[in-house]
């Protein structure tokens, strides 16, 4: 199994369009879009260097130990922590499937997480890594997501394309990628 950079869904190639997505755990539509693109148009994902940071709007209460106040309360903070652990410890396809399952259930307890892992390849091993992450490393992943999220974020989910300014995340991710990609566009681009 190939290990990915925990903050990048697809390996970096210099001419890829870079999309940095800032979201929180209840803004899962970006994962529906990714799921569709990964399944039906992998050529679009092949030209995309996608980074997703699950924090959203909120603030940091303390740095040592890291504690946060999330816009929608403690459930959102727990969901953000879980999703950051999933992105780090699952391959991109499994991460998307697991996060969509959790979004549908809107719960982040261990039984729900285990249930959502059952349908993915290597789910038991991913579940073990995610569970360990939630008990330690996860808070540091949440810190990294907080640090990467602009403090003046006014809409969630938001995205930054090729290090430009932060804008609302597009509902038509494929067209956004095609429009902003400077290399030879895949045939599926309009």
């Amino acid at each position: 199994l190939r290990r990915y950079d925990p903050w990048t869904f697809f390996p970096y190639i210099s001419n890829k369009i870079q999309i940095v997505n800032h979201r929180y755990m209840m803004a899962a539509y970006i994962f529906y879009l990714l799921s569709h693109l990964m399944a039906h148009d992998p050529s679009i994902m092949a030209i995309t260097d996608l980074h997703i940071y699950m924090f959203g709007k909120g603030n940091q209460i303390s740095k040592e130990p890291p504690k946060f106040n999330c816009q929608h309360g403690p459930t959102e903070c727990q969901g953000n922590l879980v999703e950051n652990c999933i992105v780090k410890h699952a391959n991109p396809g499994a991460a998307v499937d697991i996060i969509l399952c959790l979004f549908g259930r809107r719960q982040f307890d261990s039984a729900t997480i285990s249930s959502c892992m059952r349908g993915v390849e290597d789910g038991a091993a991913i579940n073990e890594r995610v569970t360990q992450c939630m008990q330690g490393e996860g808070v540091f992943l949440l810190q990294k997501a907080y640090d990467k999220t602009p403090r003046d974020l006014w809409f969630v989910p938001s995205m930054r394309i090729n290090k430009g300014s932060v804008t609302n995340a597009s509902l038509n991710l494929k067209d956004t990628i095609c429009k902003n990609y400077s290399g030879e566009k895949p045939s599926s681009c309009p």
Side-chain angles (χ1 to χ4, degrees), residues 16-22 49 158-170 173 175-177 179-181:
K16 287 186 175 188
I17 177 174
Q18 184 184 61
I19 297 180
V20 177
N21 178 259
H22 304 283
D49 176 29
S158 294
M159 67 183 176
R160 180 186 318 264
I161 300 171
N162 290 334
K163 300 183 181 180
S165 59
V166 175
T167 62
N168 292 357
S170 173
L173 187 58
D175 284 353
T176 300
I177 292 167
K179 178 182 167 193
N180 288 281
Y181 182 61

Side-chain angles (χ1 to χ4, degrees), residues 125-144:
I126 295 170
N127 189 33
E128 185 176 321
R129 291 190 303 266
V130 168
T131 300
Q132 289 174 353
C133 177
M134 291 167 45
Q135 296 168 356
E137 168 190 30
V139 72
F140 300 104
L141 297 176
L142 196 56
Q143 177 71 56
K144 181 171 184 170

